[in-house]
Each structure stands twice: as C-alpha cells, then as structure tokens.
Amino acid sequence: MTDQSCQRYLEDPEANASHLDECADCRALAARLGEAVEHRPVVVDAGALPLASWEGAAHRSWPLVLGSALTVVAVALALCAATGMSPLRVMDASMGSMSALRALIRGGADALRGAPISGQVAFGVAVVLVNALLVVLLRRAPRGIDA
Ligand SMILES: [Zn+2]
C-alpha cells in the first residue's frame, strides 16, 4: 500500500504482520525470505549421541567414590589390626620403601650414565618409542565413535 506502512512492516515484521494481507510487494518479499530461511526446529535425540568425556565426568557417583575410598581404608586398618601392626608403623615402613625405590632409580641413572654411547642412544630411542605408543593409544577413538 503506502511506503510508510511498508517501512513499518520491514522494521518490525512480527508486530505488523497484518501488513502482508494488504501489500503484495511485502508478501512476495516475505515469501522469498521464507524460502531462504526455513524455520525448521533442530531436533536432536540426546539419547542417540555419545557422551563427551566431560559430560561423563558429571555423572560420577560421588557416594560410590567416597564409599570405595572408605572401604579401602577400612580394609587397610583391618589388615593392620589382623597382623598386629600399628598403622603409623606401616606408613613409616612404606616411606622407607619409597627411599629404597629412589635409591634404585638413582642407581639406574648412574648405570645409564656409565653405559657406552650406543646404549644411551638405544635408551633414548626406546623412551621415544614408548611415548609415541602411549600417544597413539590416547588418540585412538573409543569404540562406537568414528573419528
Ligand atoms: Zn508493504
């Protein structure tokens, strides 16, 4: 009809929808825009999608985690009581085994430093190969997901 009502319709199509009934130009324009932009809702079946790793973390059952930890502690205390050892003595002994482990590692490092250069190179290549294998295993997609 008038250019002014066309202007009002173009500025706010939803409030002035009745303008389409009286103006053929705007009706044609709206039809063309409607073809270009389909108002089709996106329907996603959430059950059909696999959980992302961060989504799965939200479903962790904290009562189960706490219950498992308490069970492990209870079993450890029961074993201490059954063997007649105090838990503090067991902790002290495990610290001792930690320092023994540290000494073992230091001995291995000294042996590597004393080894011929070919042995050191072979050790370095083995470290790279093992790490490459671990990276490949980490990057492999879980079953059921094509990536
Ligand atoms: Zn119009």
Side-chain angles (χ1 to χ4, degrees):
M1 284 268 185
T2 66
D3 283 341
Q4 237 176 12
S5 63
C6 287
Q7 184 71 31
R8 270 199 307 266
Y9 170 75
L10 291 176
E11 285 172 353
D12 192 354
E14 279 156 16
N16 303 301
S18 62
H19 176 71
L20 285 183
D21 298 329
E22 51 196 59
C23 178
D25 289 342
C26 290
R27 209 175 319 139
L29 181 66
R32 245 186 310 163
L33 287 175
E35 285 171 12
V37 183
E38 282 192 34
H39 297 285
R40 191 172 39 186
V42 177
V43 179
V44 176
D45 181 12
L49 296 174
L51 283 181
S53 55
W54 60 87
E55 290 174 314
H59 295 291
R60 179 169 296 144
S61 165
W62 289 109
L64 177 66
V65 171
L66 290 177
S68 301
L70 286 177
T71 302
V72 168
V73 169
V75 166
L77 289 176
L79 285 175
C80 287
T83 57
M85 298 169 67
S86 84
L88 287 179
R89 162 113 175 71
V90 172
M91 282 179 61
D92 191 40
S94 65
M95 290 300 160
S97 67
M98 295 261 281
S99 66
L101 181 67
R102 197 175 323 135
L104 184 71
I105 290 172
R106 187 171 300 133
D110 288 342
L112 186 61
R113 266 186 229 112
I117 190 70
S118 61
Q120 294 182 17
V121 168
F123 181 79
V125 168
V127 167
V128 169
L129 284 179
V130 166
N131 281 289
L133 176 69
L134 292 175
V135 167
V136 166
L137 288 175
L138 278 176
R139 292 176 57 109
R140 196 176 61 185
R143 252 182 243 167
I145 297 175
D146 300 322

